[in-house]
Amino acid sequence: MDEVQIQLNVLAFDGENDPDIFAGIAASAAVAISDIPFLHPTAHVRVGRVEGKFVLNPTVEQLEYSEIDLVVAGTRHFVNMIELGGREAKEDDVADAIEFGHKAVVEIVGMIEELVSKAGKPKVGEIKHPDAGFVDAIRARVTDKIREVKGKAGKADRADAIEQIRDDLMAEMARP
């Protein structure tokens, strides 16, 4: 609705601790303490598994031997992004790694909330939400179609089908 873009540039890297995760946390904390309206702080962690044990934010060297390279991002209540690389990791192991990572996310979000209570600025303006009637009209047109598509095999085929649903919706609702 009112997009905010944050760009972080790494000026120094110790060669051991990958800065990408910390950059995401820094961005979340910066927006959280700013006067920009913001729903919920987010946090990011990387989870590795070295010698059968989960490691939070493993070093670059540890990742070379890790069976899993998982990035988990989310809020206090939800995981909203997962990126996974692994050496044929079992589903249960991945689920356990996500849970392990989300526990750390919750801790980090708590720290950001504490920072906001100490250094946060009053928010300017309000968080904008789309018109509920408009959202309901879209949901009525596409929910069943999307559910049907999401149950099919083939990532590329699903993406193409979702794109077609979007195009059809645009043609129907955004007539000239």
Side-chain angles (χ1 to χ4, degrees):
M1 302 289 291
D2 284 331
E3 186 174 316
V4 172
Q5 186 177 59
I6 299 172
Q7 295 183 6
L8 299 160
N9 296 303
V10 176
L11 301 178
F13 172 47
D14 66 5
E16 193 173 323
N17 299 289
D18 195 340
D20 62 344
I21 297 301
F22 305 111
I25 294 168
S28 177
V31 174
I33 64 171
S34 77
D35 63 356
I36 299 169
F38 188 54
L39 284 175
H40 307 285
T42 60
H44 312 74
V45 296
R46 173 168 272 119
V47 177
R49 189 169 70 182
V50 179
E51 297 177 3
K53 294 185 180 180
F54 292 128
V55 177
L56 188 62
N57 296 323
T59 64
V60 173
E61 183 181 355
Q62 286 175 313
L63 277 175
E64 290 179 26
Y65 304 101
S66 180
E67 301 160 7
I68 294 174
D69 180 2
L70 171 72
V71 175
V72 178
T75 65
R76 173 178 295 287
H77 302 290
F78 302 104
V79 171
N80 60 14
M81 190 276 303
I82 299 168
E83 293 179 6
L84 173 67
R87 295 186 175 101
E88 297 187 30
K90 296 177 185 173
E91 282 185 36
D92 289 344
D93 293 341
V94 173
D96 291 344
I98 293 168
E99 185 177 345
F100 177 83
H102 189 248
K103 285 179 183 175
V105 164
V106 170
E107 276 189 60
I108 296 166
V109 166
M111 290 182 224
I112 293 171
E113 290 170 344
E114 183 180 340
L115 177 64
V116 169
S117 73
K118 293 178 179 178
K121 294 182 177 180
K123 301 301 182 184
V124 176
E126 295 180 16
I127 296 172
K128 295 182 181 175
H129 299 282
D131 177 78
F134 181 66
V135 171
D136 291 343
I138 291 172
R139 284 188 177 138
R141 287 173 171 82
V142 300
T143 298
D144 292 337
K145 294 174 186 175
I146 291 173
R147 278 197 181 112
E148 182 181 326
V149 166
K150 289 295 185 177
K152 295 182 178 180
K155 185 176 180 178
D157 293 337
R158 284 193 309 266
D160 291 344
I162 292 294
E163 189 173 325
Q164 185 61 53
I165 291 169
R166 185 201 63 213
D167 292 347
D168 293 347
L169 177 68
M170 293 295 288
E172 178 185 346
M173 293 190 74
R175 294 184 188 134

